[in-house]
Amino acid sequence: MRGFIYAGILALFSGTVAAAVVTTEQGQVRGTQADRGWTFLGMPYARPPLGDLRWRPPQPAVAHEGVRAASAYGPACPQPRAGQRGLDATSEDCLTLNVWTPGLDDGKRPVMVWIHGGGFRAGSGRIAGEALAARDVVTVSFNYRLGPLGFFSHEALESQEANFGLLDMVLALQWVRANIDQFGGDPGNVTIFGVSAGGMAVSLLMVSPQAEGLFHRAIAQSGYGTWALPRTRHAPQAKVLSMAMGPPPSAERIAHGLVAKVTDQPATPSGLRGLDGTALANAMEGFHLPVVDGASLPEEPGLLFAQGRQHDVPLITGGNSNEGSVMPASGISVAEFAGYHQDDQAAVERLYAEDYRRGGEQGVARMFGDNRYLLAARVAGAGMGHVDSPAWLYYLDFVPAERRGEWLGTPHGYDAAILFAGAQSEDPAERALASRMLKFWVQFARTGDPNGEGEPAWPRYDRGTDRWIVLSTTDRAEAGVIADKLDFLEAHYRRRAGLE
């Protein structure tokens, strides 16, 4: 109550609350009044991971004296082409979070924690959090370490952990548990959600031992928990193969290649920690990947879901109808991905005949998107049958009016645009879809079930019936969404993951 009392005193003496002070475990922070509540930006949740703290688990932020301004985003974590993404400043001192709240009271509102995407090499916590705060939800976003600074394993380092960005997420959730009641949120009702790498992060947290008990519902949008991950020398022995059905990729070999682009000096702990962070971030091409290290990540998420070893919390997961739109940014060439299925090329061209009529690249791209994102959703949904909590699967198939005839379905990541900005779209169908999606997402955050009055029934997922909800100009439950394609891709996955 201490934060609420302080804010109330400000209101009494000022008449209106243009700024509000809340007390956190680290000290007092001053936010700013927004149209529908208050915003607190750039609050440190961890000590700066600099010097000897680089490539170590994050440490909680130290306490500060006085009242700290929380009116501006902190710098984004180092990443390539930050300026092109509208990020003016990057720094390794980037572990901050942001809160949007509709009320500084004891309202015990549901809390939704957004995890940004960007291929684990780009992005930040800058979002339109007011879109959810307007629906009486406390919204949180944060930065986490990216690229080689966030996911890295090298023999010269003593740490078994390799997923420092994942451990940042865990610490951010611990901050939420300790402090969010001061912002009008309920620490006992926390939903994590994210798109792309953010959706994959949700999958990682669902199987991370360190994250147990820190969240109560999960929404993985276009995650890729069935994709082959690099493995460290500490990873458990398993029958898991690479996407090409060969030896799994070595995290240490990847690290050596990145370091070699920055320096030719022998690798030592102090030498590695003294390397230029921006140069390391720029050394990565294509998407980065989390790492199976046997500590922060015991195994690939898809395999752990298949074994029923995920946290027992309700899950929404799914993807979009044209996920393959992201393939050019992935760092995976058409030839490389096509090679994963070269022994079944006739079946591929039959299943993706409509896309292959537009050209081989389009056929491969569509299959890439289905394989990386939609297959992961179905495997996770099936895996939830091993625990008590249910899952709901969605397939987003919507093209706004101005893109019809241009887009071949809903591109990768467009669901985030619909959630956070769809209400401002000039297309009335998109505005309506955004409203329905937000209702589903917020209802799920409130109750653990997306179903509510006035919306189409969204059935719980069961692998036997394979029923999804198709989100489009109108929504409908449908059995066997792209089932023939996913059956083919899942057979390859099961062989690769040693599940046969």
Side-chain angles (χ1 to χ4, degrees), residues 92 123 156 225 235 238 284 301 319 323 442:
E92 285 190 70
M284 185 69 202
E323 295 281 8
V442 171

Side-chain angles (χ1 to χ4, degrees), residues 256-386:
H256 294 166
L258 292 170
V259 170
K261 293 182 179 181
V262 178
T263 182
D264 58 2
Q265 297 299 308
T268 64
S270 60
L272 289 173
R273 291 190 168 100
L275 294 176
D276 181 81
T278 300
L280 275 172
N282 289 331
M284 185 69 202
E285 297 179 4
F287 296 156
H288 204 53
L289 286 170
V291 177
V292 177
D293 60 7
S296 58
L297 184 59
E299 186 50 86
E300 291 183 5
L303 183 53
L304 294 177
F305 270 84
Q307 297 169 346
R309 296 168 59 191
Q310 72 275 36
H311 299 312
D312 192 356
V313 302
L315 173 71
I316 288 176
T317 187
N320 302 347
S321 58
N322 189 24
E323 295 281 8
S325 63
V326 78
M327 188 174 184
S330 70
I332 300 169
S333 70
V334 169
E336 179 183 356
F337 185 79
Y340 300 159
H341 301 278
Q342 61 185 351
D343 294 338
D344 298 305
Q345 187 61 28
V348 167
E349 294 188 20
R350 173 178 54 80
L351 289 166
Y352 289 91
E354 182 177 349
D355 289 290
Y356 268 89
R357 281 194 289 271
R358 294 186 172 95
E361 289 192 7
Q362 171 56 31
V364 172
R366 181 83 72 174
M367 181 172 62
F368 168 87
D370 293 348
N371 195 340
R372 189 175 176 100
Y373 304 102
L374 289 161
L375 172 63
R378 190 164 79 163
V379 168
M384 291 298 290
H386 297 297

